[in-house]
Amino acid sequence: MGSQKFVYTFGARTAEGNKSMRILLGGKGANLAEMNRIGLPVPPGFTISTEACNAYYKDGKQPTLNLLKDQVMHGIETIENIAGKTFGSESKPLLLSVRSGARSSMPGMMDTVLNLGLNDKIVEAWAKATGNERLAWDSYRRFCQMYGSVVLGLKPIFQDEVDPFEQIIDEVKEARNVTLDNDLTISDLKELVVRFKARIHERTGKDIPDDPYDQLWGGIIAVFDSWMGKRAIQYRKINDIPNDWGTAVNVQAMVFGNTSNNSATGVAFTRDPATGENNFVGEYLINAQGEDVVAGIRTPQQISLKGSQRWAKLANISEEVRKSTYPSLEEAMPTVYKELDDVRIMLENHYTDMQDLEFTIEEGRLWILQTRDGKRTGEAMVRIAHDLQVEGLISAATSINRIEPDKLNELLHPVFNKKDLKTAKMISQGLPASPGAATGQIVFFAEDAEDWAAAGKPVILVRMETSPEDISGMNSAKGILTARGGMTSHAAVVARGMGKCAITGAGSLIIDYTNRQFRVGDVVYKEGDWISLDGYTGYIYEGRVPTKDPEISTHLQKLMTIADSQSRLRVLANADTPTDAKTAREFGARGIGLCRTEHMFFKPERIRIVREMVLAKDEAGRRRALDKLLPIQMQDFEEILEVMHDLPVTIRLLDPPLHEFLPEDEAAERMIAEDLGITFEEVLDRVNTLHETNPMLGHRGCRLANTYPEITQMQVHAILEASIHLKKRGVHVYPEIMIPLTSIGNELRMQIKIIRDTAEEIFAKYNDTVDYKVGTMIEIPRAVIIADQIAPMVDFFSFGTNDLTQMTFGFSRDDIGKFLPIYLEKGILKKDPFQSIDQDGVGQLVSVGTANGKRVNDHLKVGVCGEHGGDPDSIRFFHRSELDYVSCSPFRIPIARFVAAQSAINEKMSDEALKIKAAELA
Amino acid sequence: MGSQKFVYTFGARTAEGNKSMRILLGGKGANLAEMNRIGLPVPPGFTISTEACNAYYKDGKQPTLNLLKDQVMHGIETIENIAGKTFGSESKPLLLSVRSGARSSMPGMMDTVLNLGLNDKIVEAWAKATGNERLAWDSYRRFCQMYGSVVLGLKPIFQDEVDPFEQIIDEVKEARNVTLDNDLTISDLKELVVRFKARIHERTGKDIPDDPYDQLWGGIIAVFDSWMGKRAIQYRKINDIPNDWGTAVNVQAMVFGNTSNNSATGVAFTRDPATGENNFVGEYLINAQGEDVVAGIRTPQQISLKGSQRWAKLANISEEVRKSTYPSLEEAMPTVYKELDDVRIMLENHYTDMQDLEFTIEEGRLWILQTRDGKRTGEAMVRIAHDLQVEGLISAATSINRIEPDKLNELLHPVFNKKDLKTAKMISQGLPASPGAATGQIVFFAEDAEDWAAAGKPVILVRMETSPEDISGMNSAKGILTARGGMTSHAAVVARGMGKCAITGAGSLIIDYTNRQFRVGDVVYKEGDWISLDGYTGYIYEGRVPTKDPEISTHLQKLMTIADSQSRLRVLANADTPTDAKTAREFGARGIGLCRTEHMFFKPERIRIVREMVLAKDEAGRRRALDKLLPIQMQDFEEILEVMHDLPVTIRLLDPPLHEFLPEDEAAERMIAEDLGITFEEVLDRVNTLHETNPMLGHRGCRLANTYPEITQMQVHAILEASIHLKKRGVHVYPEIMIPLTSIGNELRMQIKIIRDTAEEIFAKYNDTVDYKVGTMIEIPRAVIIADQIAPMVDFFSFGTNDLTQMTFGFSRDDIGKFLPIYLEKGILKKDPFQSIDQDGVGQLVSVGTANGKRVNDHLKVGVCGEHGGDPDSIRFFHRSELDYVSCSPFRIPIARFVAAQSAINEKMSDEALKIKAAELA
């Protein structure tokens, strides 16, 4: 025990630690050691290991501190030797910083105490020695403030209380009648130190020790104690972090960017974090401290000449003024810049990713204070991952793993500028149902949306909820806003399919169709008023917030191709029209996994025929109407199948209940009656007969098709005759016919017979055949239970996880808005199960159904065609559940392709590699 | 092979077979042998085994017949020896019958040929020998007819064709100008024989063989061949009967009840099949053949004196006339009657059940032709089972197994007389939603039902569908008829709970509320018109069909007590009111398994307060309304708990969505607004906000309780304070609080916390405690999937199989009427899954959920409180799934108690016993 190593030194390329020692040294300590090892100019220091922290709690505080003493003293000596300064000396005083450093940064932990090693005597001596009295006294003032607050605990007690130190500063500034800290004189700074010390004593009964070593031990103990602080414990509890991780303590020599005009401080990115271009970008300030760069009091300068010139152009500053007032580091300190640029290369080579670094130049000497993977935009993420792969720095697999799928959204949909949002007035919030940004004028009716859009006006369609009748209007709108419905309501699903921004379930909107207005609280918004929707957050803004359009870069295209080469799970698209199918193909869909035939039924020229069918009194009447629909459907299928040549197209037979095709208001019903030459009463009778209390659990899907087999016959006829036409024209087509809502073996058996019989007829008619597959949706819990009975009858299963989630939870996605927000808020549910598959419940059905189906049918293809097919967490789950494909909205395809690839890549990683990765991420 | 025994003789108590040889000898053959063995006077004969039939098909027809020849000849000799007659002799001819006899009787098999052994010569000789020319020629005529039809195949070809033999008889009768067969003269009978033979030859090209042995072989071959007849094969296919069962052939000496007035024939029951009383009842005719007794041309006489006298009294016949014209067998043939009465005792002792027997008396000698378990009414079934057990003939277990549960229905509900129904005009048919019979005047509104009933009129409430608002009206009606809804629609469930006749889903009724009438086709039925409902069949009759009321006999009471002693599964009741609870207790419920608190909310004085709560704008408003409800609920619970003292009462917390408590029409909404002093718009706003697209999957159950915890607080407060009041009065109460609609662990956790916290408050207030349990409904598929997570949190699971069936199938019970009838008709479903648990799907969830719950919680009590709790097949399944209890409507309790007992009894039977039982039943 006495011989256990607790202290690891670094500096002068002789670090005892390295980046793999994160568990022992914490994230910061391991990284400082690593930078030092690879030759970066890191101020010397040492790390007290997390084991010391654990010993402190396990073996007692004092015994551990006793054990530490010699090792810490040795650490200080090492720093002194490298820095050529002495801790506690008045001639060449060494100043230190003390920071906590757990495996991952943690709120509630002690942050930083700077400038340890100063006292009333040393500060005077240091001022004299450097000739920089202001630096000395400002540093001392800051030390007293930080030590008093962080180590001695003089902090505001109540949330609305002013910080006691800031209060003193304000008092002095008021007395001097100045506003900026910088306007305080050296004597003011001296007064501050005196008053700080007095206030500390008065309030805590404690004093800042004069002995620098006592200061250091106070700092180390404060770090250890903060590990068991209330907020830290609470944070660990919520995030499932064990108490025995412990924290490390980092003690490091101070460097100063504010000693003279030969000093500077700055931050830089090794590549452009906005675009991903391979440019060195960053900002710096001469004779300044790190916090000054971000404080915004002085205008920071660009580090590279190129960057500086670009900046000046945008800021409308002449080259002359730029050169004289805002020179780049490249110009101001060319040697140091060259050194920094070398560091940049070294860092990228070493960390194989774009880095965000902090540096300080003290009297012409460069110090690197920190490096870490740089935050970046979606665009930069894609470009950097691809470039690094092309440059040979990272493997294909790694480049794919560098993509954060959700971040791709901003590349695929319009977005707002963040700064525009800061000034926009938020009206209300709903569910972020479909990503994107939209701005336009309010309309309340789908027909108006079409008319206004035709007249060139951008519109936002605002509805209580949408229905299939509204589809054309939705398509014409820039965005959709509904007061009811959840993440998988009609509006949400259709909008996502269209790649269009939508917000649903905005419960605070009171819509008044009659007066064409909606109300939020007391504020009224009328037809024609401008509003803006943020589909990423669900925020609704007043007025016109500008949007910018996306474009798919070649980098993204290329990276997606790499992704596909790594995947096991294929990505197909949900697409109902030739246009959708084209989009899907452009986004790289490997086929259509769900083509909803009923969506074709709503176009004006067709809905009349469909209604004739729905209103028919008998089979003969239905067949007459279906005969009229046949050529239209055939044309639909021919177009879609042609677009998707050489790829499978899964066509779902008619799914919704028939009443969805009838209007609900009397006027429309009277029109239909007139149009079809029947009485209004007859229409009404049928509407009443078709009415359902719970349409989700009603007469639809194969239940309808088994009641009216002629509907299936017509649809299969259309699919296969279209296929034969295409075959004759040399187009390779792969139709797959999908039966919806199966819950009973006999239901499926009966439908398959109708399909096979119809196929035989068509094939006989043309004396030719096409390959086609027959499969079933698995969207009813009972279908999962009997998966082994039905799997032998079909070629594929497609999990309809939307409906499966509805039935498994007993949740109606149309009504869930009443309690889901409360459930999420109270933590009853962690996620909306319609957005991300419920792995413990619904997911179990998917896994079990897949396994049971494949067990009895080797050739069974299994996929998912619910909205979950485009959700990253869900896709990962489907990969693990050994599904063969996911099908999602065209606009989610890029995301799905990356997640599919990542799932396959991570599965291949050895357990060891996963452990290391987990440790790194922790 | 040559030595295999194919022929088993019987007669003179020397039968080679017995009743356990059913597989070898067929049902009839085994039974004839058995009767002979126990000393009953059975005409001698022999049975050719099923193995012979199999050999006939396997080894070839002729080889098998060759093998049979000697054994059959030996069989004939045996008969001849016993009968003292000779087959084919002219002096003392032996006549034979040939019948098929498989393990169970089977349509399409050859039935019977009588009087084999006659030809033109023998008939003359026999006529002379007996001096009964008519008997001889009539027998010969019948023989020709049967042989021609059954063996030689002269049958009508088309369905509407007259039987060729009947056609000849008609022609002769017409020529003689007579109407009855009996009016034909002997020479007419002779002419019939000639014409029969000619027609057979003309149509089939074959002749009836003159040689009696050829006749016999023809008969035997005809039986064998009929085994592979089209109809027999078809029947076996449908009923899963293997082809290799084969059929036996029974050859037996003829006896004649029509030789003289010293002969007779009759049928008898060893006990009264209508009442179960231990009286010998039966009918006979002197000088008659078996078919004459049932043909109805002559009036049959009673066998016992007591029966005869009772009959005469009912028929208004004087003792004098009775004695002279319709004497009992006891009077007419006292010796034979004594012999028959001995047979009765012997049969009951031997078969240990009431027997239905056929006898013939030939010249004073009694012959028993058949005995079998007698069909009986429900009342007789109960009484006989109980009496036989008391008499020591059968064990307690056997007496319970003698009860056919469905047959008890007629003891528990009003019924029609069958003969009344024959003349009633059927209007239409719906689903037999709740058993019983009802007759009354049509009303269309619940309030009218109450008013008319209060005025003493019996009413039938006719609705599109019912809602909770209609409950009082339903209670006032004699019967309920709805045009929509299935077997578990609101109307059905509530009616069964009330033990009231209901027919639902009568789709052909077009109801016109405005004109207070309904239409079926072109016929209109108005308010006040009489109709009658048969809840057993779903038939709706025009006019007033009289009903008769049930009563529970002491026999039934005693037998149910025996049943309980045999059961593992306990039977509890669904009961919402003190009245229900009383009924349940009378029927022997072992507690209440489901008390729906919301049903208490609809009484007029309460609904106002409930609506105030629903319409409240905030929690404070809700709490104000709930405070008013609290004393009312407490009173409810106190009454129910008191009725059910010493037994558990499971109270379900509020389950339905709030909008169920609001009316849907404007007038009522305006009234509420006025009543509560708020604006109509406010009411409308709330109605619109509460509206749900799929209420079944909506904001209800614990979702509601987690959103508005104050509702649970009020209900738990009411339950526990009521319990403490009762405890103080010395009443032992066992409240069990049940949380509905759980699908997520956290939902349950949160509700349990509210319950426990509320309990602590109440207990602190009274400084006293009561034992209470907390459990959850399992009615959402996801709850089953996570059963092992939630079981440790609760004391009991109660499967709500109604909702579980809805979610698992994705069927809405309110809408299922649109396709369920078609599904049943097409055989997609074999049974309505809401009536009888779907064992392959929903049942699997029940089994798995039970097993997983009990695995992690030893003390977990598991039951079912859906409608399935009263269905026999479902109860058997629940027993096998090791549930602890079922809870059902009070009126289903007797049935459930018997089924529960039978399940336990049958489980205890050894495999061997089960095999034997299966063979007997086959």
Side-chain angles (χ1 to χ4, degrees), chain A residues 18 64 90 112 179 205 222 266 307 350 384 445 525 599 649 755 816:
Chain A
N18 64 55
T64 305
E90 293 182 19
T112 304
T179 53
H350 189 72
I384 292 170
F445 298 97
Y525 297 88
H599 284 188
V649 175
I755 294 169
I816 199 177

Side-chain angles (χ1 to χ4, degrees), chain B residues 201-216:
Chain B
H201 187 85
E202 173 197 326
R203 289 280 204 83
T204 70
K206 295 182 232 168
D207 292 307
I208 298 173
D210 276 339
D211 181 346
Y213 282 95
D214 289 346
Q215 293 173 1
L216 178 60

Side-chain angles (χ1 to χ4, degrees), chain A residues 550-564:
Chain A
E551 60 190 48
I552 292 204
S553 65
T554 52
H555 296 286
L556 180 54
Q557 290 286 15
K558 285 183 185 163
L559 210 55
M560 287 197 292
T561 310
I562 296 173
D564 289 349

Side-chain angles (χ1 to χ4, degrees), chain B residues 228-299:
Chain B
M228 285 297 177
K230 212 169 139 189
R231 273 188 65 207
I233 290 176
Q234 212 166 25
Y235 177 84
R236 289 201 293 274
K237 208 168 187 176
I238 294 169
N239 292 278
D240 270 341
I241 297 176
N243 283 333
D244 66 2
W245 273 18
T247 180
V249 185
N250 295 294
V251 178
Q252 201 175 10
M254 291 289 304
V255 292
F256 297 91
N258 58 344
T259 56
S260 72
N261 283 343
N262 201 22
S263 295
T265 191
V267 294
F269 293 88
T270 58
R271 299 189 184 217
D272 191 325
T275 65
E277 283 169 295
N278 193 359
N279 293 332
F280 195 19
V281 303
E283 297 178 331
Y284 79 104
L285 279 173
I286 290 182
N287 198 5
Q289 282 199 304
E291 60 200 75
D292 300 336
V293 181
V294 286
I297 298 162
R298 287 163 61 189
T299 303

Side-chain angles (χ1 to χ4, degrees), chain A residues 484 688-689 691 693-694 696-697 703 706-707 747 780 782 808-810 812 815 818 823 826 838, chain B residues 484 688-689 691 693-694 696-697 703 706-707 747 780 782 808-810 812 815 818 822-823 826 838:
Chain A
R484 290 199 191 134
N688 284 336
T689 309
H691 168 82
T693 311
N694 296 288
M696 178 51 51
L697 308 174
R703 297 167 195 171
N706 277 324
T707 329
E747 274 180 323
I780 303 272
R782 195 177 187 280
T808 305
F809 270 97
S812 158
D815 304 314
K818 293 196 175 61
Y823 266 37
K826 291 195 177 178
D838 157 45
Chain B
R484 292 200 190 132
N688 284 336
T689 309
H691 168 82
T693 312
N694 295 290
M696 179 49 53
L697 308 174
R703 297 168 196 172
N706 278 323
T707 328
E747 273 181 323
I780 303 275
R782 195 176 188 281
T808 305
F809 269 96
S812 158
D815 304 313
K818 292 197 175 60
I822 297 161
Y823 266 37
K826 290 194 177 178
D838 158 45

